Amino acid sequence: MPKPRLWLQLFERQAGQGLGRREQLCASLREAMRAGELSLDERLPASRVLAADLGLSRVTVEAAYGQLEAEGYLKRAVGRGSFVAISLPRHSARKPRSPGSPSPQLHQGPGLSRRGQRIADGGGCVDPRRPLAFAAGSPDLRAFPLELWRQLSNKRLRTDTSLLGYGDPQGHEDLRSAIAEYLNQSRGLRCRAEQVLVLTSSQQALQLLGAMLLDEGDSVWMEEPGYAGAYTAFAACGAQMQPVPVDSEGMQPQPELPRPRLIYLTPSHQYPCGMSLSLPRRLALLQLAQRESAWIVEDDYDSEFHYEGRPAPALQGLDEQGRVLYIGTFSKALFPSLRLAYLVLPEALVAPLVSARTLHDGHSAQLPQAVTADFIRQGHFAAHLRLMRQLYGERRNVLLEALQPLQSWLCPRPSPGGLQLAATLPPGQEAHWSRAAAAQGVLTPGLSALYRGSSAQDGWLLGFAALTPAEIRAAAHSLQRLQGVKPRPA
Ligand SMILES: Cc1ncc(COP(=O)(O)O)c(C=O)c1O
């Protein structure tokens, strides 16, 4: 009779993993057979003995043996006992992974592809789950009109069963036409609903564009500093990333850089510095793209939120040659878990990109698309944006005021819009003070990580939109205390 061995330990380890006792026992016995710990024809303990050893009822052990017999793992003969019925290819017993431990190396199989390895090495993109002070990039979810959203959803669900089926991979027609209308009126685009491709996120748009437009070794220009999500997506495609410096007029094209296949930029509100691309630069970049036969990817991620006059119309509206691919998202204007964003494409790219999208995830969920279309069409989107603009504008002012006592150390850059504010620190200070702030429970996303070239600027990108004025002041007071400034009462 086998001694209590590895499979009994496996049984102990599986406790607390949400399995019932019978399933737990079945799983440990299967695992022990795969690990070669129980071999063909080996006899298992009598159910009465095993029940006593493991502190189970005999009925549970009998049920587990019965299940494994039905699955073909055991054979049982009355009066003789239960025997292993199968010889499985061996592998080493898997140890449960503790949370946070690194992902296991691939021991078996041919391993990752070169592309797969680049993707894994890039580290992916993780957005903050909770809008704690001062996590960047989150809208205020507490101010979202949930009741109205529920009513619109219920209305669609009462009447429209077609939303339960597979949808158009390009996006729900109602949403595509609502988006095209909104962009033409509010952002100065010139587009038709047929050019809109609805996606789950800007990140998906970047990934899709990289896969469809870039070959390995192609040169991609992007702003320096710039958006890590774009860098990671294009680098994962094997692109040669070329950091292009920005000044007060935005991206400064550099003639000596390798000619670009694609230029990625945030013209309305440069990420992370906040300036707008000047008109001469817009025209120069369009000309350059035409001359070099390059694509321009315009990421218009947060231009709905402007606090000092309207932002310049989108670059796409100036494009006569079909070079500009425009990305917009509802992650900030509505809410991130909606998972809706869009690309506006030159007509020739629509069919190939829609086809590529069917390989990714088929299409975006239909109900949220239809509800978003109704939300826009019925005027709620414009009203929501007006309200949020006012709310976030006030919060930006509260943050600027709260940072004033620190301005010789932490210096805010002009911030005419957006959900976060860039502020610079003296050289070499970011890492130290980020740790000190974290110890006080304040997150301070670093600026220096957004530089890929040699001269990184130290500083922070401070999200304010999701925080109430009291939360902003409390977090700013924590920063003041770090510097020995006595915070003024709120
Ligand atoms: C420049 C930029 N583009 C895109 C996004 C992300 O949008 P999405 O949630 O649609 O991927 C962000 C988010 O912070 C951003 O800062």
Side-chain angles (χ1 to χ4, degrees):
M1 182 174 301
K3 301 189 287 313
R5 293 179 310 191
L6 173 75
W7 57 280
L8 294 177
Q9 293 168 26
L10 287 170
F11 179 80
E12 303 296 321
R13 277 202 218 123
Q14 278 169 352
Q17 294 201 8
L19 296 177
R21 308 289 272 169
R22 176 170 57 92
E23 250 325 306
Q24 203 179 317
L25 181 55
C26 288
S28 357
L29 286 166
R30 286 191 212 99
E31 184 68 12
M33 289 180 216
R34 274 187 224 116
E37 180 74 12
L38 285 173
S39 44
L40 183 64
D41 292 332
E42 190 166 333
R43 184 172 175 196
L44 269 74
S47 57
R48 181 181 32 81
V49 175
L50 188 59
D53 276 358
L54 296 178
L56 298 174
S57 79
R58 192 169 169 195
V59 175
T60 305
V61 177
E62 278 293 333
Y65 281 3
Q67 181 173 329
L68 291 174
E69 183 183 26
E71 291 173 7
Y73 286 93
L74 295 184
K75 51 187 182 237
R76 309 184 73 196
V78 183
R80 290 188 50 228
S82 304
F83 299 85
V84 176
I86 182 168
S87 171
L88 292 170
R90 283 181 75 123
H91 78 75
S92 53
R94 272 173 274 163
K95 285 200 180 137
R97 198 147 64 88
S98 56
S101 63
S103 50
Q105 298 293 310
L106 292 180
H107 299 301
Q108 293 158 342
L112 296 174
S113 65
R114 281 207 304 279
R115 188 190 328 107
Q117 195 61 54
R118 271 198 308 266
I119 292 172
D121 292 346
C125 287
V126 185
D127 292 310
R129 289 277 182 86
R130 283 193 303 142
L132 295 172
F134 287 107
S138 190
D140 189 353
L141 306 178
R142 292 173 286 193
F144 190 77
L146 271 184
E147 178 54 25
L148 175 58
W149 196 262
R150 191 183 62 76
Q151 284 167 12
L152 295 175
S153 305
N154 284 352
K155 188 146 182 237
R156 279 283 184 169
L157 276 175
R158 267 201 299 275
T159 53
D160 195 350
T161 52
S162 73
L163 295 176
L164 307 181
Y166 286 112
D168 181 347
Q170 191 176 345
H172 195 290
E173 202 182 332
D174 291 356
L175 181 59
R176 284 192 287 114
S177 56
I179 289 172
E181 213 170 288
Y182 160 72
L183 292 175
N184 292 339
Q185 279 172 13
S186 303
R187 296 295 304 121
L189 269 81
R190 290 180 297 161
C191 70
R192 299 180 305 116
E194 290 75 11
Q195 292 169 259
V196 176
L197 167 56
V198 177
L199 297 165
T200 51
S201 60
S202 312
Q203 199 57 47
Q204 188 183 33
L206 295 165
Q207 177 74 19
L208 199 59
L209 292 174
M212 294 301 285
L213 304 179
L214 296 175
D215 285 314
E216 241 172 84
D218 278 347
S219 156
V220 170
W221 290 13
M222 78 172 266
E223 296 154 322
E224 167 85 338
Y227 181 49
Y231 183 96
T232 312
F234 297 140
C237 298
Q240 291 297 322
M241 302 303 293
Q242 310 292 343
V244 183
V246 297
D247 63 10
S248 59
E249 290 186 56
M251 182 186 260
Q252 278 179 295
Q254 308 285 305
E256 69 280 5
L257 287 176
R259 50 188 287 229
R261 172 90 173 131
L262 187 151
I263 303 169
Y264 166 86
L265 74 173
T266 47
S268 304
H269 182 229
Q270 203 272 335
Y271 181 94
C273 297
M275 74 291 275
S276 166
L277 189 68
S278 70
L279 185 57
R281 294 266 173 90
R282 285 172 191 247
L283 297 173
L285 275 164
L286 287 169
Q287 265 178 16
L288 187 140
Q290 179 62 12
R291 195 172 62 241
E292 304 291 0
S293 195
W295 299 110
I296 295 182
V297 175
E298 173 175 28
D299 184 354
D300 204 19
Y301 64 108
D302 71 355
S303 61
E304 293 87 357
F305 303 111
H306 44 81
Y307 316 123
E308 294 167 14
R310 293 174 73 83
L315 187 56
Q316 196 270 5
L318 287 175
D319 176 23
E320 299 294 341
Q321 315 293 337
R323 295 269 150 216
V324 176
L325 321 175
Y326 177 94
I327 302 178
T329 179
F330 289 110
S331 287
K332 321 290 174 189
L334 292 175
F335 53 96
S337 81
L338 183 57
R339 298 286 78 198
L340 285 179
Y342 43 91
L343 261 170
V344 179
L345 296 163
E347 281 175 24
L349 283 186
V350 173
L353 269 98
V354 170
S355 178
R357 198 279 159 91
T358 63
L359 298 185
H360 270 208
D361 59 350
H363 60 83
S364 297
Q366 293 228 74
L367 178 64
Q369 292 191 72
V371 174
T372 305
D374 296 342
F375 194 80
I376 299 174
R377 279 276 160 76
Q378 295 174 21
H380 306 303
F381 187 55
H384 180 62
L385 290 182
R386 266 198 305 279
L387 255 170
M388 292 304 103
R389 225 174 270 140
Q390 194 184 347
L391 197 70
Y392 299 165
E394 285 163 13
R395 292 173 179 185
R396 179 199 64 155
N397 294 343
V398 169
L399 177 59
L400 284 171
E401 198 182 309
L403 295 181
Q404 236 170 21
L406 293 171
Q407 60 185 283
S408 58
W409 172 65
L410 181 65
C411 181
R413 302 184 74 122
S415 56
L419 310 182
Q420 59 247 347
L421 179 145
T424 57
L425 285 164
Q429 297 209 4
E430 184 188 295
H432 171 75
W433 291 113
S434 296
R435 279 195 299 275
Q440 302 294 315
V442 178
L443 302 178
T444 50
L447 263 191
S448 63
L450 305 177
Y451 288 77
R452 305 288 168 160
S454 47
S455 51
Q457 164 74 58
D458 275 12
W460 291 328
L461 191 58
L462 304 174
F464 55 78
L467 309 170
T468 62
E471 288 165 339
I472 294 173
R473 287 194 190 98
H477 285 174
S478 299
L479 297 183
Q480 290 175 16
R481 275 191 291 271
L482 292 181
Q483 284 297 296
V485 175
K486 198 155 171 280
R488 275 183 286 154

